[in-house]
Structure formats: C-alpha cells, structure tokens
Amino acid sequence: MRSWQYSCTVGGLEKNLSLNPAAPLPTPKPDQHLVQVIAAALNPVDYKPAEIPGFLRFAMTKPATPGTDFAGTIVRPAPGSPLKAGQLVFGACGTSPVAGGALREFSVSKVGSAVPIPEGVEPIHAATVAIAGMTAYQSIVPHVKGGDKIFINGGSGGTGAFGIQMAKAVGCHVTTACSTANVGFCRELGADDVVDYKTEDVLETLLRKAKEHRFDHVVDNVGTDDQLALRCHEFLRADGLMVIVGGEATLKAVRQILRRTLLPGFLGGVKGKVVGFWPVPNVEHMQQIGEWMKEGKIKAVVDSKFAFEELPQAFEKLRTGRARGKIVVDVASATYRKGSE
C-alpha cells in the first residue's frame, strides 16, 4: 500500500514527508479494526508536537505516518464488534493523536473510535469530525443548556465552525471572535454576535458586554492571549467555565499554563474556573454529531480538498492558520469500493 511517512521534522514536517509506494499493511491488534481510508482531515496536532525538539526522537516510532481523522470502510472488524466488513465508518485512526496513521491507504482504528457513517452523509464530510468535531462537542455540549450565553474565541477554524453550530443546536446564544474576512462566514454558521478582532479588542469587548450580561461558558480555540484566562472572572459567571482548547507548542505557552495552574489568584493566577482540554473517543458523541449532520443541523465546513499525492501542500495550507473550516485529503474516494470488494 501507499503510505506517507517521515522520520525527521527539521525545517517543517511537510518538507520531510515521503510517499512510500510499498509500505506493509498494518496488523490490527485484537481491539482494532483494519480499515481502508477514503479521506482524512488535517489538524494542527498532526505537525506541532512532532516538531518540538526531541519529541520525534523519544516519543514516537519512526517512520511515522501523520493523521488521525478519517472516513473509510471496514476491511476486517475487530472480533466481537457489531461493525461489518464493507461498512462505511468515520472516527479516529491509530492509538496516537500525534501520528495516528490516517494518511495511508489502509490503517487501524481502535474499537470505540469509529462509528457508522449515517446515510446521506458524504465520507469527505464525515472525515472532518474526529478531533475538531469531538473537541467542539465535548468542550461545549456537556457544559451548557438552552438559553445559555456562550463565547467562542476563534469561530472560523475547524473546531470553531463546529462549535458555533453545536452551540446553536442545543439552544445557546453564541458570541464569537474572528477576523474581518470571516465575520459573514461566522454569522452564516449561526453566530448571534461576532467580534472582529482586527478592529476591536476582544477582551475589552467582552468586559463591555459583561456590564449587560456575563457569559455562562467560554471556549478559547486560539489560546494565545493569556489575559482572556487571567481576567475571565470579569466576564464569566461565577459558576461558569472557561475551556482552553487552542495554544502553541512554545516555552511561552508552557509558562502561561504553569502560571494558570499553579499560581493562586491573589498572586496573579486565574481567579475564574479555567481548564485545559483534549477530546476523548466517545461513541455516543460521535453518533450524535453524525445524526446532526444527517439532519442538517450542523455541516462540515471544508476549506479545501487535496489529492493524496498533494499532502505536503495540504500541510503548507494548514500551517498558514488561515483555513476556513477543515482541510481534507482525498485518499481514495473514487476507488474505495473496488478496494473493499
């Protein structure tokens, strides 16, 4: 099978990718399905941790194949699984969120990490869900109720686009922040109020809004302005929660995390309730997202689609941070039926 691989990230992961035309098929463990990948979606976690000095050497098996989000068909289900050979599924590949192995023609998916694609949902769209969709769902839906006011920082990216729609699906009033170019886009997704960070200071706008109402819940998909967390008690209800999803893999970011988690409020730490976040596989959550997609309550927003052979260019686009929605790699949408026979 063909498989994208890398053993080094010096100069950027995309500059070190090579397409192996004769990689061996993966051997699934007893709790894993063997799947044929139809499409895969990219996420920042696919390259950022791997580029941390020393991470690839000590924390990953080489050569590594990137990619977690996938849609595909079951080739051989795990023993005892209700999934059947040939069934269309979506979810997460592999056991590592850093190099799950979705960017190859065949991969493995752990039991509980893949669910059937609902009828009427295209595999290209279902492929976008595993990280961005689950992050949006788990950082919002369990913490809110109808009528709550929520602020989503970073509404136009993959996670933010899902988040706006999911918050509206459960009846929330949504305020989001994005750039000037994406204001209309966020409104189309359902945002009630949009803060243009190019022309307005986001923190000052939130503090001004707090004079009329405080937010019940806040999700930060950007994670670069530590003042939002340090002053969240000024615009968040006393029983509200701020979830920090986004962030950079830098020493500055590490210092910010340590400050938030270790320093008490009176010494300059966080005074509100702030938590970090990473999504976990959950069959019921994935099924609910799939059902919402089938019903048209939420849609996958695909910024761009690249051919399998164009993976390095897809990563270049991801690195710009300017994608509106998700970047999808078409692995085998035209041939998967032949391969699953």
Side-chain angles (χ1 to χ4, degrees):
M1 69 168 184
R2 296 185 302 164
S3 173
W4 281 101
Q5 298 174 336
Y6 64 94
S7 297
C8 173
T9 59
V10 176
L13 182 146
E14 67 274 14
K15 291 181 173 57
N16 294 277
L17 285 167
S18 63
L19 184 56
N20 183 347
L25 282 174
T27 302
K29 297 178 180 178
D31 63 344
Q32 294 176 334
H33 313 291
L34 178 64
V35 298
Q36 181 181 12
V37 180
I38 299 171
L42 302 188
N43 296 280
V45 72
D46 293 328
Y47 75 89
K48 287 185 177 181
E51 293 181 355
I52 297 174
F55 190 93
L56 181 61
R57 179 180 180 184
F58 297 107
M60 296 173 63
T61 301
K62 296 179 290 186
T65 295
T68 295
D69 296 6
F70 90 102
T73 59
I74 296 290
V75 176
R76 187 167 66 248
S81 169
L83 297 176
K84 306 298 182 184
Q87 191 167 11
L88 286 167
V89 295
F90 72 103
C93 275
T95 57
S96 167
V98 178
L103 275 309
R104 54 187 176 180
E105 292 178 317
F106 294 86
S107 192
V108 295
S109 180
K110 193 172 182 179
V111 171
S113 294
V115 299
I117 297 178
E119 185 177 352
V121 177
E122 293 294 328
I124 289 288
H125 295 157
T128 66
V129 170
I131 289 183
M134 289 289 282
T135 296
Y137 187 100
Q138 293 176 357
S139 65
I140 294 174
V141 177
H143 307 292
V144 300
K145 61 184 183 302
D148 280 356
K149 298 183 184 300
I150 177 174
F151 171 65
I152 299 173
N153 192 30
S156 61
T159 302
F162 272 125
I164 291 172
Q165 296 177 86
M166 291 179 188
K168 295 303 295 182
V170 296
C172 293
H173 180 283
V174 178
T175 299
T176 192
C178 64
S179 66
T180 306
N182 290 316
V183 169
F185 169 67
C186 288
R187 291 194 184 280
E188 290 174 3
L189 292 175
D192 299 285
D193 295 315
V194 181
V195 180
D196 179 355
Y197 70 77
K198 293 284 189 180
T199 61
E200 303 176 74
D201 183 277
V202 174
L203 177 58
E204 292 303 319
T205 301
L206 296 180
L207 295 175
R208 186 173 67 251
K209 286 180 176 292
K211 295 178 181 179
E212 300 178 5
H213 66 80
R214 291 187 175 228
F215 290 96
D216 299 283
H217 189 66
V218 172
V219 176
D220 187 357
N221 293 317
V222 182
T224 56
D225 184 358
D226 206 38
Q227 286 301 306
L228 288 178
L230 295 175
R231 299 186 64 180
C232 70
H233 61 285
E234 297 181 47
F235 55 82
L236 187 64
R237 287 170 56 94
D239 58 349
L241 176 68
M242 179 174 182
V243 181
I244 298 181
V245 173
E248 296 294 326
T250 63
L251 289 176
K252 178 182 178 181
V254 171
R255 288 195 296 268
Q256 290 176 343
I257 293 172
L258 292 175
R259 179 182 181 183
R260 292 197 302 261
T261 55
L262 299 179
L263 280 182
F266 67 89
L267 290 179
V270 173
K271 296 180 182 178
K273 186 176 181 181
V274 178
V275 298
F277 179 83
W278 181 256
V280 295
N282 186 297
V283 169
E284 291 183 0
H285 293 175
M286 286 193 290
Q287 289 173 333
Q288 178 62 78
I289 295 170
E291 192 63 24
W292 277 339
M293 294 176 77
K294 177 182 177 180
E295 296 170 352
K297 292 183 178 179
I298 67 172
K299 63 180 180 179
V301 179
V302 177
D303 173 273
S304 48
K305 184 171 70 172
F306 290 82
F308 185 58
E309 297 77 12
E310 298 173 327
L311 182 61
Q313 294 94 310
F315 269 109
E316 288 174 1
K317 177 62 181 290
L318 177 67
R319 192 183 290 276
T320 68
R322 299 301 180 203
R324 180 184 285 185
K326 297 294 295 180
I327 297 170
V328 177
V329 177
D330 186 340
V331 179
S333 65
T335 61
Y336 73 90
R337 293 186 184 280
K338 182 184 298 185
S340 62
E341 291 176 353

